[in-house]
Amino acid sequence: MVKSTSSFDLAIVIGAGAFGTSIASVLATNFKHVLLIVRSPDVYQGLKKGENQIYLPGLKLPENIDVCLDWKEFEEFTKNRKIELVVCGLPTSGIRAFFDLHSARFSEFFKRGIPFVSLSKGIDPETLELPDDLLLDYFYEYRDLITFFSGPSFAKEIVEKQITLGSLAGRSKKVLMSIAQMMETPYFKVFPSYDVKGVLLGGALKNILAIAGGIVEGLGYNHNTRAAMITRGITEMLRFGVVFNARPETFYGLSGMGDLILTTTGDLSRNKLFGMELAKGRRAQEIITSQRSVVEGYKTAKAAKLLSEKYEVRARIFDAIYSVLYEDKAPKDVIEDLMSTPVRFEIT
Amino acid sequence: MVKSTSSFDLAIVIGAGAFGTSIASVLATNFKHVLLIVRSPDVYQGLKKGENQIYLPGLKLPENIDVCLDWKEFEEFTKNRKIELVVCGLPTSGIRAFFDLHSARFSEFFKRGIPFVSLSKGIDPETLELPDDLLLDYFYEYRDLITFFSGPSFAKEIVEKQITLGSLAGRSKKVLMSIAQMMETPYFKVFPSYDVKGVLLGGALKNILAIAGGIVEGLGYNHNTRAAMITRGITEMLRFGVVFNARPETFYGLSGMGDLILTTTGDLSRNKLFGMELAKGRRAQEIITSQRSVVEGYKTAKAAKLLSEKYEVRARIFDAIYSVLYEDKAPKDVIEDLMSTPVRFEIT
């Protein structure tokens, strides 16, 4: 049902994965229309019926979410409507492929002053860059309009209207506050931040610790051990932050600690479930090839390993997870690693 | 069974609550004998049979834990043995009452150079002081020997030998490293820190947020909301830290974030269970009077409220919990508070 109180006209969301779809459902509150740009025909067919049957099965989406599969359909839908926000829900690994083809179109949106929110989390395994650099390669000219959302937010719970808070990082206070207003609903809220690198790095690295959390739980360890692993892990995260000149406080905010708590203690994280499968003795490559959803932490673990080598980051837990994923180290060795460090001061 | 490999002779533990008992079980690895000083005859009777039937029912304790109910029994047990560590597991509210009577005896131990570990978490509601000041009032002369343990550690899981890490704060590196060695087992480990105030404050305040976590869960909110509440709560914790000159990093360590994650996401926390009962509509006073175990967060919430007023600490979540506990505010209002703040930058 289109609400007469909607303040904004049209929001575009690129990518109809679970997260992109959930943000579309948030935007459906304040926007008259939300248009999802979909790449897969099967996702498209489901969404036409008001449900993302592939990524969020069983959840009814707001009726003012529309969908398009190509630019012809896009043009038709948008021609008499005012685009006021563009959201990009592509996986990190899909950013280049998409904008290599379509950057001209998005430059047009930027020229009109339309703000942009990226939802991508991850580190590019080749360049070791975060999503901001991947996007700014195409759109540096429009940097003030580009923002990055990250926070503790299972897509399913967002669609269910569970109360959800996140960080929105960018350069321009005006743009951040304006997007915050567009996204705010009684159950969803973003907190602006200028620390783009910190927000993105927390969102990327936490997936690796979620795998560690899954391993800990899968091996039968309980709350004390899980809390210890998370806490020691975030200490290592901060050391990566130094390399990107991120602020420590950001890692302790919604996009860092908040998201880490969510993914390691909640039961909906693909990364955590992946870790639990590893604990059963399955090999990483086998699990990855058997499922459709992207396990961001798997790829990010490789990037983190390259980063820790390149910049000499002391990251015992991250390195151990890498070895489990790519060198067939036994998951239980990760736990032993945690305990076998010599006694040292906690703050070092 | 007394292990022939034990490196130390005798450790004393004052107070046989759940936590004191669990630390006694850890010390039983490296000490030939551990003597628990018990105050209640019923706890004493259970421990005589190798189990703390009141606080840790069903868990078999190591055989080299002994127990005494009075100083006569204490003298008998200790006379030909070498006390090498004293651990104090009294609740914060019991520290003054105990040492008003027995400080001379403990001064004797200090004179012999025996190190001391306090397990107390909380804030004195009258003086608004942390356990260190309460103890140092009696033993300031021996301050280098006094340390404070805090960390994510459910007593039950410690006795079950789940891997557990914690912080041990004190002034003397030598004493800290020496106690760390006495306490280290293949499943238990402490990380030294010089930030006594930070370690103690995290351990105290986290109980209030655990109540908040219980309310969130009890009201039917899910992972996103819980992670948001914890993360925004720790931001407020840091503001209290400024008053005590604690280090921000400490709040993100084992005694702060680690313990907070444990108590809000685990299912064994009395504080969290208390919050869940509140969410059902029961009144705080009624729950408190119906149970034997101390809910530290209930008392600490009052102390935190006095602190936030006295020092003008911006602590919206802590204040809201206080109102639920002492002013019969509805638990659901706490959630509404979380969402009704105006949009502001995350790091402020």
Side-chain angles (χ1 to χ4, degrees):
Chain A
M1 198 184 62
V2 180
K3 289 187 195 129
S4 57
T5 55
S6 302
S7 323
F8 304 98
D9 193 25
L10 172 61
I12 303 297
V13 178
I14 313 159
F19 203 49
T21 305
S22 75
I23 295 299
S25 81
V26 169
L27 297 172
T29 305
N30 294 338
F31 285 79
K32 283 199 193 72
H33 307 278
V34 181
L35 181 64
L36 266 169
I37 305 176
V38 183
R39 294 170 300 168
S40 320
D42 53 353
V43 175
Y44 176 85
Q45 288 307 329
L47 284 166
K48 275 284 186 192
K49 294 172 203 146
E51 188 184 321
N52 190 328
Q53 292 164 332
I54 307 294
Y55 294 113
L56 292 167
L59 294 175
K60 190 78 192 142
L61 298 170
E63 286 180 26
N64 55 335
I65 295 180
D66 279 277
V67 65
C68 71
L69 198 57
D70 55 40
W71 294 114
K72 186 170 161 289
E73 214 178 345
F74 178 89
E75 296 295 350
E76 247 162 58
F77 190 86
T78 58
K79 70 181 165 193
N80 292 316
R81 292 183 174 124
K82 190 184 172 199
I83 300 173
E84 300 195 64
L85 182 68
V86 173
V87 175
C88 174
L90 297 172
T92 303
S93 57
I95 292 175
R96 281 188 204 283
F98 183 85
F99 288 105
D100 275 350
L101 290 174
H102 307 298
S103 71
R105 184 176 297 269
F106 288 86
S107 291
E108 286 305 314
F109 298 148
F110 284 126
K111 275 180 198 150
R112 287 190 246 154
I114 302 170
F116 183 101
V117 180
S118 165
L119 308 176
S120 305
K121 294 178 181 178
I123 303 172
D124 182 75
E126 279 164 45
T127 62
L128 303 184
E129 288 175 329
L130 293 164
D132 63 331
D133 282 330
L134 302 183
L135 284 164
L136 291 171
D137 259 348
Y138 300 93
F139 306 116
Y140 195 72
E141 194 181 341
Y142 309 107
R143 56 196 172 276
D144 278 0
L145 289 169
I146 299 178
T147 68
F148 303 86
F149 174 85
S150 188
S153 45
F154 285 137
K156 178 172 176 284
E157 294 187 7
I158 293 176
V159 179
E160 291 169 348
K161 304 195 176 185
Q162 292 275 341
I163 285 177
T164 302
L165 310 182
S167 308
L168 185 76
R171 296 172 179 239
S172 155
K173 182 176 177 184
K174 194 179 146 199
V175 170
L176 289 168
M177 296 306 270
S178 148
I179 296 175
Q181 196 196 341
M182 289 177 179
M183 296 185 89
E184 179 155 352
T185 77
Y187 63 92
F188 192 89
K189 187 168 186 160
V190 300
F191 289 71
S193 165
Y194 297 122
D195 186 4
V196 171
K197 295 293 187 192
V199 164
L200 290 174
L201 198 56
L205 294 178
K206 71 101 178 50
N207 286 326
I208 306 172
L209 293 179
I211 296 174
I215 290 175
V216 168
E217 204 167 318
L219 291 174
Y221 289 95
N222 219 321
H223 300 95
N224 290 5
T225 315
R226 189 169 74 177
M229 174 70 90
I230 297 174
T231 311
R232 295 305 300 164
I234 210 162
T235 305
E236 295 185 3
M237 241 196 222
L238 256 86
R239 300 192 192 118
F240 285 98
V242 174
V243 175
F244 288 88
N245 202 31
R247 291 177 70 98
E249 302 96 305
T250 304
F251 292 99
Y252 301 129
L254 294 160
S255 60
M257 187 185 92
D259 205 357
L260 182 58
I261 291 171
L262 183 83
T263 40
T264 46
T265 66
D267 45 12
L268 300 174
S269 156
R270 289 193 293 262
N271 293 289
K272 183 183 161 191
L273 295 174
F274 177 60
M276 294 183 77
E277 289 297 309
L278 292 168
K280 287 182 195 163
R282 289 181 69 188
R283 293 174 62 158
Q285 191 55 47
E286 178 207 334
I287 306 168
I288 291 294
T289 50
S290 71
Q291 60 187 39
R292 177 167 175 160
S293 289
V294 177
V295 179
E296 281 283 4
Y298 178 68
K299 283 187 240 173
T300 312
K302 192 166 201 168
K305 174 70 175 178
L306 293 170
L307 275 175
S308 76
E309 279 173 358
K310 186 171 173 186
Y311 294 100
E312 296 173 18
V313 179
R314 190 155 51 87
R316 206 179 169 91
I317 295 171
F318 283 88
D319 288 349
I321 298 300
Y322 172 83
S323 299
V324 172
L325 298 182
Y326 293 97
E327 295 170 347
D328 284 328
K329 185 172 175 171
K332 72 172 172 46
D333 294 351
V334 174
I335 309 286
E336 278 163 27
D337 264 22
L338 190 71
M339 291 308 287
S340 65
T341 46
V343 170
R344 64 166 87 236
F345 274 64
E346 190 173 3
I347 302 170
T348 49
Chain B
M1 196 184 62
V2 179
K3 290 188 194 127
S4 57
T5 55
S6 301
S7 322
F8 305 98
D9 192 23
L10 172 61
I12 304 298
V13 178
I14 312 159
F19 203 49
T21 305
S22 75
I23 295 299
S25 81
V26 169
L27 297 172
T29 305
N30 294 338
F31 285 79
K32 283 199 193 72
H33 307 278
V34 181
L35 182 64
L36 265 169
I37 304 176
V38 183
R39 293 170 300 168
S40 320
D42 53 353
V43 175
Y44 175 85
Q45 288 307 330
L47 283 167
K48 276 281 184 195
K49 293 172 204 148
E51 187 183 321
N52 190 327
Q53 292 164 333
I54 307 293
Y55 294 113
L56 291 167
L59 293 175
K60 189 79 193 140
L61 298 170
E63 287 181 25
N64 54 335
I65 295 180
D66 279 277
V67 66
C68 71
L69 199 56
D70 54 41
W71 293 115
K72 184 169 164 289
E73 214 178 345
F74 178 89
E75 296 294 351
E76 246 162 58
F77 190 86
T78 58
K79 69 180 166 195
N80 290 317
R81 293 183 173 122
K82 189 184 173 200
I83 300 174
E84 300 195 63
L85 181 68
V86 173
V87 175
C88 174
L90 298 172
T92 304
S93 57
I95 292 175
R96 281 188 205 283
F98 184 85
F99 287 105
D100 276 349
L101 290 174
H102 307 297
S103 70
R105 184 176 297 268
F106 288 86
S107 292
E108 286 305 314
F109 299 147
F110 283 126
K111 275 179 198 150
R112 285 190 249 152
I114 302 170
F116 182 100
V117 180
S118 165
L119 308 176
S120 306
K121 294 178 181 179
I123 303 172
D124 183 75
E126 280 165 45
T127 62
L128 303 184
E129 288 176 328
L130 293 164
D132 63 332
D133 282 330
L134 301 183
L135 284 164
L136 291 171
D137 259 348
Y138 300 93
F139 307 116
Y140 196 73
E141 193 180 342
Y142 309 106
R143 55 198 173 275
D144 278 0
L145 289 169
I146 299 178
T147 68
F148 302 87
F149 174 85
S150 187
S153 45
F154 285 137
K156 177 172 176 287
E157 294 188 7
I158 293 176
V159 178
E160 291 169 348
K161 304 195 176 186
Q162 291 276 341
I163 285 178
T164 302
L165 310 183
S167 308
L168 185 76
R171 296 174 180 238
S172 155
K173 182 176 177 184
K174 194 179 147 199
V175 170
L176 289 168
M177 296 306 270
S178 147
I179 297 175
Q181 197 196 342
M182 289 177 179
M183 295 184 89
E184 179 154 354
T185 76
Y187 65 92
F188 192 90
K189 187 170 188 158
V190 300
F191 288 72
S193 165
Y194 297 122
D195 186 5
V196 171
K197 294 292 187 192
V199 164
L200 289 174
L201 198 56
L205 294 178
K206 71 102 177 53
N207 286 327
I208 306 172
L209 294 178
I211 296 174
I215 290 174
V216 168
E217 205 167 317
L219 291 174
Y221 288 95
N222 219 320
H223 299 94
N224 290 5
T225 315
R226 188 169 74 178
M229 174 70 89
I230 297 173
T231 311
R232 294 305 300 162
I234 210 163
T235 305
E236 295 185 3
M237 239 195 222
L238 257 86
R239 299 192 192 119
F240 284 98
V242 174
V243 176
F244 288 89
N245 203 30
R247 291 177 70 99
E249 302 96 304
T250 304
F251 292 98
Y252 301 129
L254 294 161
S255 60
M257 188 185 93
D259 205 358
L260 182 59
I261 292 171
L262 183 83
T263 40
T264 47
T265 66
D267 45 11
L268 300 175
S269 156
R270 289 193 293 262
N271 293 288
K272 184 183 160 190
L273 294 175
F274 177 60
M276 294 183 76
E277 289 299 308
L278 291 168
K280 287 182 195 163
R282 288 181 69 189
R283 293 175 62 157
Q285 192 54 48
E286 177 207 333
I287 307 168
I288 291 293
T289 49
S290 71
Q291 61 187 38
R292 176 166 176 161
S293 290
V294 177
V295 179
E296 281 282 4
Y298 178 68
K299 282 187 241 174
T300 311
K302 191 165 201 167
K305 174 70 175 178
L306 293 170
L307 275 175
S308 77
E309 278 173 359
K310 186 169 173 186
Y311 295 100
E312 295 173 19
V313 179
R314 190 155 51 87
R316 206 178 168 90
I317 295 172
F318 283 88
D319 288 349
I321 298 300
Y322 172 83
S323 299
V324 172
L325 298 182
Y326 294 96
E327 296 169 347
D328 283 328
K329 185 172 175 170
K332 73 172 172 47
D333 294 351
V334 174
I335 310 287
E336 278 162 27
D337 264 22
L338 190 71
M339 290 308 286
S340 65
T341 46
V343 170
R344 63 167 87 237
F345 274 65
E346 190 172 4
I347 302 170
T348 50

